[in-house]
Amino acid sequence: MKYYSISEAAAKFDIPESTIRYYEKKGLLPLIERDAAGRRLFSEDSMTLLKVVIYLKNTHMPIKKIKQYVDWVVEGDHTTQLRLDMMKEHKKAVLAEISLMETSLHEIDLKIARYTNRIQA
C-alpha cells in the first residue's frame, strides 16, 4: 500500500501542512496512521477523506458539521442515509451561495461598465 507524507499530502491538495495538522487536531482526519517515529502517514483512504474535508471546508461547511460527517464515515455504512441527507442540504446551501455571488458579480460588472464609460467620455 502506498503512503504519503504530510508534505506530499499538502502539496497534492495545495494547502499548508499546518492546515492538515489543524484538521487532524479537530478530529477531521481520524484515518491518519503514524510510523515508528511518529510521522503522519496518509493512506489512499485518508487522502480521500482529506480531499472531502477540503471540499466541504471550501464550500463553507462549518468544522462542527464536517466533524459530524467524518464521525458518520467512521461509524460505517449504517450512516449512509445520514450522510446523503447532509450532502443534499449542503448542496442546497452551496447553490444558494453561488446564486448570490453570481447576482453580486453582475452588479459589479455594471459598476465597472459605468466607470469605464465615464472615464472614456
Side-chain angles (χ1 to χ4, degrees):
M1 178 184 289
K2 174 153 174 58
Y3 286 94
Y4 300 85
S5 68
I6 191 169
S7 60
E8 290 170 326
K12 181 173 175 83
F13 297 113
D14 195 28
I15 60 172
E17 291 178 24
S18 60
T19 298
I20 296 174
R21 288 187 198 96
Y22 174 76
Y23 291 162
E24 183 183 21
K25 181 180 174 186
K26 291 296 185 179
L28 306 182
L29 301 172
L31 304 178
I32 295 176
E33 300 174 41
R34 295 200 181 244
D35 66 12
R39 292 180 294 246
R40 291 166 183 85
L41 297 174
F42 295 79
S43 66
E44 291 297 331
D45 287 342
S46 59
M47 290 291 280
T48 298
L49 186 56
L50 175 57
K51 180 172 68 171
V52 172
V53 167
I54 291 167
Y55 291 155
L56 294 175
K57 189 67 181 123
N58 286 347
T59 54
H60 304 150
M61 182 181 276
I63 293 287
K64 185 176 179 178
K65 282 192 165 191
I66 298 172
K67 174 71 167 94
Q68 179 62 75
Y69 173 80
V70 169
D71 289 346
W72 286 335
V73 168
V74 171
E75 284 181 40
D77 288 344
H78 70 277
T79 64
T80 300
Q81 186 63 52
L82 294 168
R83 288 182 268 160
L84 174 60
D85 294 343
M86 178 184 268
M87 288 299 120
K88 285 180 176 180
E89 285 302 310
H90 186 60
K91 180 179 180 180
K92 287 179 190 174
V94 170
L95 289 172
E97 188 170 344
I98 289 170
S99 177
L100 176 64
M101 295 296 276
E102 287 174 341
T103 300
S104 299
L105 181 59
H106 174 73
E107 294 300 321
I108 290 169
D109 284 339
L110 291 176
K111 284 289 186 191
I112 289 171
R114 185 175 298 134
Y115 294 147
T116 299
N117 289 337
R118 239 187 239 173
I119 290 170
Q120 291 175 349

